[in-house]
Amino acid sequence: MAVREAAAGLSGPGRDEEAALLFENAHYRHDSRWLLPVSPRCCLACALELLPEPGVSLVRKKHVLSGFLDALMKHASLVVQLVAQDQRVCIHFVSMLFGLLCNVEDGSITDLCIEVLIQLTTQLKLEQTIHCLLDECHKELCSMPSMRGSLATLTLLGKLVDAVPALADKLVMEHGDLMEHLLRGLVYPNEGVQASVCYLYGKLYSSPVAAEMLLGHFREKLCPLFLSTMNGAQTKELQINCLGLLKQLLKYDLFVSMLMNKSALVKSAESVEGPPGETPLPLVLKKLLLSRDETLQVASAQCITAVLVHSPAKHALAFIHADIPEFLFEHLSSSSEVLVWSCYNCLILLAEEPLFFSKCHTVYGIESVVRSLQGNLRMNNTELHKQGLLLFAEILTRQPEEIKLFTSSAMCRDAGRALREAVSSPVLEVAAESLKAISAFLRKDHQSALPVLYKELQGLVKAMLSRCADLSQTPLNWRPLGHASNRNSERAILRRGKFLLNTLEGFRNACRLAMEFQREPSAQENPFTAPSAEKEDTLEAFSEFLLSACDSLCIPMVMRYWEQATHPAVMEVFLSVLHSLFVIVPHMKEKFSKKLAASSFIRLALELKARFCSGLSHSALNQVCSSFLYYMCISLFSAPEKSGPPSQEATQKNHGIMERWNYKLLPREGELSAVSELLQHGLPQISSRGPESLALLSDRQYVEEAVRQRQYCILLLFYLAYIHEDRFVSKTKLFMAVQSFLLSLQDQGERPPLVVFRASIYLLAICQDKDGALDEAVVGAIRKFLEDTPDLHRVYTHHPLLLRLFLLHPELMRRFGHCVLELWFSWEERSCEELDGVPSAGHPTLPASVAALFHILRSSPSILLILLDLICSSPMDIARKVLIVLKTFLRRNEDVQVGGLIRGHFLMILQHLLVEHGSSPSGASGNLPLLLNLLSLVQLRNESEQELDSMAMKLLHQVSKLCGTCSPADSDILQPSFNFLYCSLHQTTLGSQRRAAAVLLSSTALIELLEKMLALTWAEEGSPRTGLLCSAWLLTASLSAQQHKGSLQVHQTLSVELDQVLKALSVPKKKAALLSAAILRFLWTALQQNFSSALVALLPSGAQSPPAPEDTVLAPLGTSQVLSLVIGLQNLLVQKDPLLSHACVGCLEALLDYVHARSPDVALHVACQPWNRFLMFTLLEAGENSFLKPEILRLMTLFVRFRSSSILSQEVGHVLQGAASTDLSTLPGSTLQALHGFFLQVQSMGLLTDHSMAQTLQASLESLSPRASLAQPPLQDMLCLGEVSVSLSHIRD
């Protein structure tokens, strides 16, 4: 009744559909507890009566099953409660559904029954229900005469075991005889049945327990049937289920062995005409791999991978013999990422078998791999990128060298570009995987296809290093200790270390590749490059790139990582890279070694050895460190160049300059072999830190030979480190240790190798305190070792502090100072050239080496005597350097009084030369001109008005005697000699001047030489240098003046052609202003003496016509000569050379005085010539206040004195105004005196008629008078103009 009410209550939409779920004829009898309370309103009782009813249509039954399944899916808990109310009803319902499943042939109803049974069983979770269902299936299969109707039952069992995996074990244990029925189904000629059987087997073998129990079943019965079924499968369902079963079987090593062994037996049987129909598993999988179905291809590849995973060595051969790799490579071009991934995995495992390569599968497939990589890198599948790169790396690594992988350079180029793109990936894992492939790619046999594409390789290596550099520069977020992010940072450092290690391994392989190609002439450069093209794609360019990349990228990356973590493997590879670069770029190894040493790489290698290589640990790292140090040290010892200039800090103090001096290592004959032997034996044994090494050096106990060898090696390392500013041990402690070492050698009577002794004294020099000194015992030991040294240059290192060590210890200076200084100058080149180019008046910053030497010279001036000996006895090039340095020192250190010291020593040298070589001392020593240059410089720096002592007079005599033995061609000797004689005459007192002139006049040879020199002035050929002629004219003028003034005795007269003198002044030589000034000074002197000198005889040139009556009074001059001379003087004046102008004005004054005394009319005529007015205009155009120049004022004074008022009509007023507006205190003394003389002359001549101007003149005279009388002469009267010493007062006054 309740059921009927419930049924009657159905209303609304879907009423007809829900009514169809009920069995109207019986539903009214059913209790409401069997009715589902929610939609769809299913009634279990109705279903139990309706479904087995034969009169109900299949459509109605299908609808009921569908509705029940829908309710079960939507309201599982309610349906379970509904069914589980009564156990008997539940089992009956299950049995009824199974019966319907077995009796109905409609596939859709069958599928619904299976689905309902599976869902119901899994939801109920009742053992009885499951047992009931299994029993029903068992009975059904056992009762079947054939497997024709078994499809539904087999399908149900398969899905049931799939839904309830635990049933697999139960089914095998409790219903084991079902396996026989399954075998029947497997051979039944219906692929649907076979597919169901395979599906069920797959579920059974998915359980390890069931699989173990079915082991024998498989071995004895199932294996051949399964392979046969799989091989003959036509439908996709059977193929997929077979592959599913195979995947389950391939999880177990035993089943893999059975399948592969069976395949091997089948193949063997086929070779002896075995039974047909049995196909080996590799061929079966190959068949599926060749199908056009992507799913089957993927599954086949995965099955091959599953087999190979167990043991590639056992099973890969079968697949290789089946040519499966060929088709796997073909599938790499697929657009399916899953298929490509599966092929990658399979090929990676196959690559473990050598046959894979020997059958040239890789040669066939490498292009496919490269193209696949290029395509996959454009996708976003990171795992696919990694797997492809892993395969590529495996192929590149395992490919035999004798089988060329890349058959053309184009293919090699494509591979390199793919790797470059991969390593540039932002995904770290992809980039890391590509590094392994790059390392393998950089193999000689992979790059042997000509032409070698070095530019492509360069781009690949650069991309690899840049990617690593980007990673190393990524900042790390450090937090307090123990923080979680701090641990992440530590992991990040480890990742960076691994990435850096892989990068360095790739770079090392690139270096190895370059080394191997050096032995291949055909690989040196691209043979197809045009001869005129720029050779960039060459091995040399690639090698230089590697060196540059290491310098700019590798070294900074490793050093940055070294600051964060210590990774021995990284440092091992890194140092092996540096080691290889010495070989790759031999012409750069010295420069590279210096840079490494200056960057503390000696310290780095020693720290690594001390930290990791004590005992026998990290023997490989120890070997690499030792090899690296060996090659770097050998390169440094064989490098003769200088390092760079010192830093700015080093130029602030002399001692600092010496400490930071740019060294020179001097390679000696036989030294490298000795160093090589020491380092080869000693370096592997060193694993001590700095303090321990110092303690070893300081040991004064008896030292055994092995320990002594270690000491030698340690000293050499300290030596090179200190030379390159890598001072990683204390200077004070090292200083004491080296002293102890030398004393230990002396105590044991040993002589160290010369290179070790050189290192020892260098370190002592460098480490010695500025004001400290060596112990006497150590100095004695050094002296003894040096005396036993055959050649001092073998223990010499070019450094100022070493020079200081020798020169500031008297015992060493006396014995070795000369030789050490000669060595010093032999290695000085650039600094001396710099000094030589500096003008004498300039004081620029000194080169560091010269500044250091000057510091030593100031502290010990007696060293100058050694330098003087060097000038005399050394080769010309060294002597010239010494002269340059000494001249500069004397100019810059005028407070150091060394003139007497040098003059005395020079006198002895000169006397020795004259005694030994007699009349030809010029050929005695090629360095004599240099000595004379120095002597003239010493004389030039003497103070004026200084009395000449006996030594000076002796030296004057010797130099004049030397000049007398020379010819005019000996200009190198005569020029400095004349300078010395001229300076001696002018830089002394009046009394000394007379005595000096008397000494010189007594040398007839000198006077004869001067006569020859003066005559050569107008010679067209064979004329000496202009500077020497200047000195000869000046010296002659000075001697003539002193002889005339003091009425000195003349032993030899000197003849000069007056006409030639006047001609030389009328037509002067170009660019010879100083020569003209010197001749003018000579003529000036002759005019002042009225041509009556006892020394100089002015003669006419050749035959002369009788003079005119008016010329007689001017003899030896004529009126025309006077006028010609005046014009010549005017022409010289307009050149506006200050010194020449003074000489011209002085000569004009003397000329007018001479003419006026004999013919006043001629003098006034000359002074009042109109062109004098033009001359004044020209001179005054030089600029504002140009009339305040002393030479112009003197000229104006001269014109005023000779009443040339028309010439100075306006200039007098201009001078008065200018003087009034000028600060007289700023004017030099010569200008004040000339201005005072001009005003006096104007006043005395009464030229000013204007009263106010006269008053202005008087006021100016009153202010000028005290200033002019107190005017000081120039601070420096004697100058060196070019090569000529000139006294300004001699020219001007």
Side-chain angles (χ1 to χ4, degrees):
M1 192 66 185
V3 174
R4 284 198 298 269
E5 290 175 357
L10 293 174
S11 62
R15 176 177 180 182
D16 294 337
E17 291 81 358
E18 291 193 359
L21 298 175
L22 305 177
F23 192 21
E24 296 86 349
N25 296 335
H27 181 62
Y28 65 92
R29 298 194 303 268
H30 301 155
D31 194 283
S32 60
R33 65 192 179 106
W34 302 111
L35 182 64
L36 191 65
V38 295
S39 179
R41 305 293 292 274
C42 297
C43 177
L44 181 59
C46 289
L48 285 170
E49 292 190 31
L50 185 146
L51 291 175
E53 181 65 35
V56 179
S57 67
L58 293 177
V59 176
R60 178 85 183 271
K61 292 179 180 181
K62 181 178 178 181
H63 180 69
V64 171
L65 288 171
S66 178
F68 189 79
L69 179 62
D70 184 40
L72 188 58
M73 299 298 290
K74 291 180 179 179
H75 312 290
S77 59
L78 294 177
V79 175
V80 168
Q81 292 177 11
L82 188 69
V83 177
Q85 292 180 82
D86 191 320
Q87 185 71 28
R88 291 173 304 163
V89 173
C90 178
I91 292 176
H92 178 63
F93 185 56
V94 170
S95 300
M96 182 270 298
L97 288 174
F98 183 74
L100 181 63
L101 173 69
C102 297
N103 296 323
V104 176
E105 296 182 358
D106 189 308
S108 58
I109 294 180
T110 303
D111 292 340
L112 282 172
C113 289
I114 292 173
E115 188 65 25
V116 170
L117 286 171
I118 296 301
Q119 291 295 327
L120 194 60
T121 304
T122 55
Q123 295 294 337
L124 286 173
K125 300 177 183 178
L126 297 174
E127 288 288 333
Q128 295 87 344
T129 306
I130 294 174
H131 278 292
C132 172
L133 195 53
L134 289 180
D135 291 339
E136 292 291 340
C137 292
H138 191 182
K139 286 189 291 184
E140 179 65 21
L141 289 175
C142 293
S143 63
M144 287 183 181
S146 71
M147 299 301 294
R148 181 177 181 182
S150 62
L151 178 59
T153 305
L154 292 171
T155 303
L156 174 63
L157 279 174
K159 292 189 176 183
L160 188 60
V161 175
D162 181 44
V164 187
L167 288 182
D169 301 339
K170 186 184 294 292
L171 191 61
V172 173
M173 288 185 291
E174 297 179 4
H175 304 277
D177 54 342
L178 278 178
M179 300 304 113
E180 296 299 326
H181 298 289
L182 294 181
L183 292 175
R184 289 168 55 204
L186 202 57
V187 298
Y188 185 73
N190 184 315
E191 292 203 353
V193 174
Q194 292 175 345
S196 298
V197 171
C198 289
Y199 184 81
L200 178 55
Y201 266 129
K203 299 306 173 183
L204 294 176
Y205 279 101
S206 65
S207 169
V209 176
E212 185 177 357
M213 289 188 290
L214 292 174
L215 181 61
H217 172 73
F218 181 80
R219 182 192 304 113
E220 297 168 4
K221 301 176 181 180
L222 179 58
C223 183
L225 288 177
F226 169 65
L227 289 174
S228 177
T229 303
M230 189 175 179
N231 183 51
Q234 299 297 320
T235 62
K236 186 176 180 180
E237 181 185 13
L238 177 57
Q239 291 170 333
I240 290 176
N241 287 353
C242 286
L243 288 168
L245 170 57
L246 181 61
K247 283 185 179 180
Q248 296 301 327
L249 293 170
L250 295 178
K251 292 179 180 179
Y252 311 105
D253 188 65
L254 283 173
F255 290 109
V256 171
S257 299
M258 291 178 197
L259 286 166
M260 295 307 294
N261 289 339
K262 181 66 176 176
S263 299
L265 290 173
V266 169
K267 185 172 183 180
S268 172
E270 287 178 353
S271 64
V272 293
E273 297 183 358
E278 296 185 7
T279 306
L281 179 61
L283 294 180
V284 174
L285 293 175
K286 176 181 175 182
K287 179 180 178 181
L288 294 173
L289 192 63
L290 292 174
S291 67
R292 296 185 178 181
D293 190 291
E294 183 182 302
T295 304
L296 297 178
Q297 292 171 346
V298 171
S300 176
Q302 290 174 348
C303 288
I304 297 172
T305 303
V307 173
L308 294 173
V309 162
H310 290 278
S311 177
K314 286 183 181 180
H315 310 308
L317 284 174
F319 293 103
I320 294 172
H321 283 303
D323 292 329
I324 284 179
E326 175 184 342
F327 303 104
L328 291 173
F329 280 124
E330 292 292 339
H331 287 321
L332 293 181
S333 60
S334 172
S335 60
S336 170
E337 295 182 19
V338 177
L339 178 57
V340 174
W341 163 270
S342 303
C343 292
Y344 281 158
N345 292 338
C346 189
L347 288 167
I348 289 169
L349 293 169
L350 287 171
E352 297 185 28
E353 172 55 46
L355 187 66
F356 179 71
F357 299 95
S358 60
K359 289 194 71 174
C360 295
H361 285 297
T362 49
V363 178
Y364 172 82
I366 191 62
E367 187 172 359
S368 299
V369 174
V370 172
R371 288 180 178 175
S372 174
L373 274 177
Q374 290 174 330
N376 293 338
L377 288 172
R378 300 185 185 96
M379 304 177 185
N380 295 323
N381 192 334
T382 301
E383 295 300 321
L384 188 63
H385 300 169
K386 290 164 54 179
Q387 208 68 5
L389 290 167
L390 178 59
L391 170 62
F392 195 24
E394 287 294 316
I395 293 175
L396 292 169
T397 303
R398 297 175 182 270
Q399 180 72 19
E401 294 183 6
E402 61 274 10
I403 302 176
K404 187 182 292 188
L405 185 62
F406 299 103
T407 56
S408 69
S409 57
M411 190 182 303
C412 195
R413 178 196 60 216
D414 292 342
R417 291 179 178 177
L419 290 174
R420 191 194 313 179
E421 184 179 355
V423 81
S424 303
S425 170
V427 181
L428 183 61
E429 291 81 2
V430 175
E433 204 64 54
S434 67
L435 290 177
K436 301 173 185 176
I438 292 174
S439 296
F441 180 67
L442 295 171
R443 245 173 52 181
K444 179 185 174 184
D445 53 293
H446 294 328
Q447 306 297 330
S448 58
L450 296 179
V452 181
L453 303 177
Y454 290 111
K455 292 288 285 184
E456 293 292 333
L457 292 177
Q458 182 174 325
L460 177 60
V461 174
K462 187 174 182 180
M464 174 182 69
L465 294 176
S466 298
R467 182 65 179 87
C468 188
D470 293 341
L471 177 63
S472 66
Q473 292 172 358
T474 305
L476 296 172
N477 296 321
W478 288 100
R479 299 292 180 86
L481 191 63
H483 197 279
S485 63
N486 208 27
R487 290 191 293 272
N488 293 336
S489 297
E490 292 173 358
R491 285 193 290 269
I493 291 176
L494 291 176
R495 286 195 301 270
R496 288 184 182 184
K498 187 174 182 181
F499 196 91
L500 177 60
L501 176 61
N502 291 336
T503 302
L504 290 174
E505 287 175 346
F507 192 77
R508 178 173 61 179
N509 287 354
C511 295
R512 185 181 295 124
L513 181 67
M515 283 192 293
E516 290 173 345
F517 275 143
Q518 285 181 342
R519 299 187 290 270
E520 297 287 341
S522 61
Q524 299 295 316
E525 61 182 43
N526 188 345
F528 306 111
T529 303
S532 60
E534 188 174 354
K535 303 295 181 65
E536 292 183 351
D537 204 5
T538 63
L539 176 60
E540 182 181 1
F542 180 62
S543 301
E544 291 178 356
F545 159 75
L546 291 176
L547 179 62
S548 174
C550 181
D551 182 34
S552 60
L553 291 172
C554 279
I555 292 177
M557 286 190 298
V558 175
M559 292 297 98
R560 196 178 298 117
Y561 182 74
W562 173 258
E563 295 173 358
Q564 299 173 348
T566 304
H567 198 318
V570 169
M571 303 310 294
E572 179 184 337
V573 178
F574 174 57
L575 290 180
S576 68
V577 166
L578 297 180
H579 173 209
S580 63
L581 287 172
F582 292 127
V583 181
I584 294 172
V585 196
H587 63 282
M588 296 288 287
K589 65 180 180 180
E590 290 86 2
K591 185 177 181 181
F592 185 51
S593 299
K594 287 180 180 180
K595 189 166 186 178
L596 291 176
S599 302
S600 302
F601 271 76
I602 295 176
R603 179 194 308 198
L604 173 66
L606 292 176
E607 284 183 4
L608 286 170
K609 288 168 69 69
R611 184 180 298 186
F612 299 108
C613 303
S614 58
L616 299 177
S617 61
H618 291 92
S619 59
L621 177 61
N622 186 27
Q623 181 61 39
V624 168
C625 289
S626 301
S627 298
F628 165 71
L629 284 173
Y630 171 80
Y631 276 93
M632 183 171 67
C633 293
I634 290 296
S635 297
L636 292 174
F637 273 107
S638 61
E641 298 93 0
K642 285 184 179 181
S643 69
S647 62
Q648 184 176 1
E649 176 189 356
T651 61
Q652 295 177 0
K653 296 182 180 179
N654 286 332
H655 192 64
I657 289 173
M658 292 192 289
E659 284 186 341
R660 293 180 177 270
W661 162 245
N662 25 335
Y663 75 98
K664 269 188 182 179
L665 273 180
L666 316 179
R668 285 89 173 168
E669 182 180 358
E671 178 183 277
L672 289 181
S673 59
V675 172
S676 175
E677 185 177 355
L678 287 175
L679 294 176
Q680 282 181 339
H681 290 89
L683 283 174
Q685 309 303 321
I686 296 176
S687 59
S688 55
R689 299 181 184 274
E692 298 167 356
S693 299
L694 291 176
L696 181 66
L697 284 177
S698 303
D699 189 3
R700 291 289 302 274
Q701 302 297 325
Y702 181 79
V703 179
E704 297 180 353
E705 183 178 357
V707 178
R708 186 70 80 193
Q709 293 293 323
R710 286 176 57 197
Q711 287 181 332
Y712 291 164
C713 192
I714 289 171
L715 263 175
L716 293 179
L717 293 176
F718 284 156
Y719 174 53
L720 293 176
Y722 262 68
I723 275 178
H724 293 87
E725 301 294 328
D726 184 13
R727 301 178 179 181
F728 56 92
V729 292
S730 165
K731 287 174 57 177
T732 304
K733 294 180 180 178
L734 181 58
F735 182 68
M736 301 303 297
V738 175
Q739 290 188 91
S740 298
F741 169 74
L742 292 175
L743 293 175
S744 171
L745 288 171
Q746 186 182 41
D747 294 342
Q748 294 185 200
E750 299 179 29
R751 286 188 58 196
L754 293 179
V755 64
V756 174
F757 181 59
R758 170 155 60 102
S760 302
I761 59 175
Y762 172 82
L763 290 173
L764 286 177
I766 294 296
C767 299
Q768 184 180 4
D769 290 337
K770 180 179 179 181
D771 301 321
L774 293 173
D775 292 337
E776 292 184 4
V778 178
V779 173
I782 292 174
R783 180 185 55 78
K784 183 177 179 181
F785 288 138
L786 289 173
E787 288 173 348
D788 295 336
T789 301
D791 192 352
L792 191 62
H793 94 279
R794 301 189 67 182
V795 295
Y796 175 75
T797 303
H798 192 59
H799 197 286
L801 289 179
L802 187 72
L803 189 66
R804 176 176 174 269
L805 177 73
F806 277 91
L807 298 183
L808 296 187
H809 289 88
E811 186 175 352
L812 297 178
M813 185 185 73
R814 285 193 302 270
R815 181 68 177 82
F816 309 105
H818 187 283
C819 187
V820 168
L821 278 167
E822 186 171 8
L823 284 170
W824 165 266
F825 281 102
S826 69
W827 288 100
E828 277 299 315
E829 193 65 43
R830 188 177 66 182
S831 57
C832 291
E833 290 177 358
E834 292 175 2
L835 286 179
D836 197 24
V838 174
S840 58
H843 289 280
T845 303
L846 289 172
S849 59
V850 178
L853 179 60
F854 284 7
H855 179 72
I856 298 173
L857 292 177
R858 287 182 65 86
S859 62
S860 181
S862 60
I863 301 172
L864 293 171
L865 299 181
I866 302 177
L867 297 181
L868 201 60
D869 286 337
L870 286 177
I871 294 178
C872 182
S873 61
S874 298
M876 180 65 75
D877 59 334
I878 294 178
R880 181 177 174 276
K881 297 175 189 176
V882 178
L883 175 65
I884 293 170
V885 169
L886 267 178
K887 287 168 66 176
T888 307
F889 177 76
L890 294 176
R891 287 194 192 109
R892 287 174 172 260
N893 297 274
E894 296 181 358
D895 58 320
V896 179
Q897 300 301 322
V898 295
L901 187 69
I902 291 180
R903 283 199 302 269
H905 201 69
F906 181 80
L907 179 61
M908 291 191 303
I909 295 172
L910 193 57
Q911 287 173 338
H912 173 75
L913 288 174
L914 290 172
V915 169
E916 282 198 358
H917 299 279
S919 61
S920 59
S922 60
S925 172
N927 298 339
L928 182 58
L930 302 179
L931 283 168
L932 292 167
N933 263 299
L934 179 62
L935 181 64
S936 67
L937 175 65
V938 172
Q939 185 64 35
L940 187 65
R941 71 195 294 267
N942 278 352
E943 297 178 359
S944 299
E945 304 296 327
Q946 186 176 5
E947 191 77 26
L948 294 179
D949 56 12
S950 60
M951 182 185 296
M953 297 301 294
K954 291 177 182 178
L955 198 54
L956 194 68
H957 172 69
Q958 295 295 338
V959 174
S960 65
K961 186 177 179 181
L962 173 66
C963 291
T965 63
C966 296
S967 69
D970 297 324
S971 58
D972 289 341
I973 294 177
L974 291 176
Q975 182 66 68
S977 299
F978 283 178
N979 286 341
F980 172 73
L981 298 177
Y982 180 77
C983 291
S984 299
L985 282 173
H986 288 275
Q987 288 183 300
T988 185
T989 61
L990 294 177
S992 292
Q993 285 180 355
R994 282 194 295 271
R995 288 194 296 130
V999 170
L1000 297 181
L1001 290 171
S1002 66
S1003 176
T1004 58
L1006 174 63
I1007 302 302
E1008 290 174 356
L1009 175 68
L1010 288 174
E1011 183 177 6
K1012 294 177 184 177
M1013 295 291 299
L1014 300 185
L1016 289 172
T1017 304
W1018 27 83
E1020 295 181 1
E1021 296 182 0
S1023 177
R1025 292 181 302 193
T1026 303
L1028 183 57
L1029 294 176
C1030 292
S1031 297
W1033 283 103
L1034 289 173
L1035 183 59
T1036 303
S1038 301
L1039 288 173
S1040 177
Q1042 291 297 330
Q1043 186 277 329
H1044 188 78
K1045 185 187 301 183
S1047 300
L1048 301 176
Q1049 183 179 1
V1050 175
H1051 302 275
Q1052 175 72 35
T1053 59
L1054 186 152
S1055 301
V1056 180
E1057 295 182 11
L1058 179 59
D1059 292 346
Q1060 294 291 349
V1061 173
L1062 297 177
K1063 181 180 178 182
L1065 294 174
S1066 300
V1067 188
K1069 294 182 179 180
K1070 293 182 178 180
K1071 299 181 180 179
L1074 185 58
L1075 178 60
S1076 298
I1079 298 174
L1080 284 170
R1081 178 68 259 192
F1082 170 81
L1083 183 59
W1084 184 356
T1085 304
L1087 287 168
Q1088 286 179 325
Q1089 298 171 2
N1090 296 321
F1091 298 107
S1092 61
S1093 171
L1095 174 65
V1096 178
L1098 291 169
L1099 305 176
S1101 301
Q1104 296 286 332
S1105 57
E1110 62 271 15
D1111 292 341
T1112 305
V1113 295
L1114 299 177
L1117 295 174
T1119 304
S1120 62
Q1121 288 178 318
V1122 171
L1123 295 176
S1124 176
L1125 178 59
V1126 170
I1127 293 172
L1129 293 176
Q1130 290 174 338
N1131 291 335
L1132 292 174
L1133 275 170
V1134 297
Q1135 293 184 20
K1136 300 180 182 178
D1137 181 274
L1139 195 64
L1140 181 59
S1141 297
H1142 276 290
C1144 288
V1145 172
C1147 188
L1148 186 59
E1149 288 174 343
L1151 176 63
L1152 288 178
D1153 287 340
Y1154 176 82
V1155 174
H1156 186 267
R1158 288 157 179 77
S1159 177
D1161 294 337
V1162 174
L1164 291 174
H1165 173 72
V1166 170
C1168 297
Q1169 288 295 321
W1171 56 71
N1172 289 334
R1173 177 77 177 165
F1174 178 73
L1175 173 65
M1176 290 305 303
F1177 283 144
T1178 304
L1179 294 178
L1180 292 175
E1181 284 177 354
E1184 186 179 359
N1185 291 339
S1186 58
F1187 53 82
L1188 291 179
K1189 292 182 178 179
E1191 62 272 19
I1192 295 179
L1193 287 170
R1194 287 176 60 190
L1195 184 61
M1196 294 168 66
T1197 303
L1198 181 64
F1199 289 148
V1200 170
R1201 185 156 62 92
F1202 285 93
R1203 301 183 181 278
S1204 300
S1205 57
S1206 60
I1207 299 174
L1208 302 173
S1209 57
Q1210 299 176 355
E1211 280 69 14
V1212 175
H1214 291 324
V1215 173
L1216 281 172
Q1217 293 176 3
S1221 61
T1222 302
D1223 184 2
L1224 298 179
S1225 62
T1226 61
L1227 298 178
S1230 59
T1231 302
L1232 291 174
Q1233 291 174 347
L1235 187 62
H1236 183 259
F1238 174 70
F1239 286 161
L1240 281 176
Q1241 190 67 47
V1242 169
Q1243 189 181 49
S1244 66
M1245 299 300 294
L1247 293 181
L1248 297 178
T1249 57
D1250 184 90
H1251 180 68
S1252 62
M1253 292 186 66
Q1255 288 182 334
T1256 303
L1257 177 63
Q1258 182 62 36
S1260 297
L1261 277 172
E1262 291 175 358
S1263 63
L1264 274 173
S1265 295
R1267 294 179 184 273
S1269 60
L1270 296 176
Q1272 297 295 326
L1275 294 177
Q1276 188 174 6
D1277 177 62
M1278 190 68 67
L1279 297 177
C1280 187
L1281 303 179
E1283 298 177 332
V1284 183
S1285 294
V1286 178
S1287 170
L1288 296 180
S1289 60
H1290 183 220
I1291 297 292
R1292 291 174 176 174
D1293 299 339

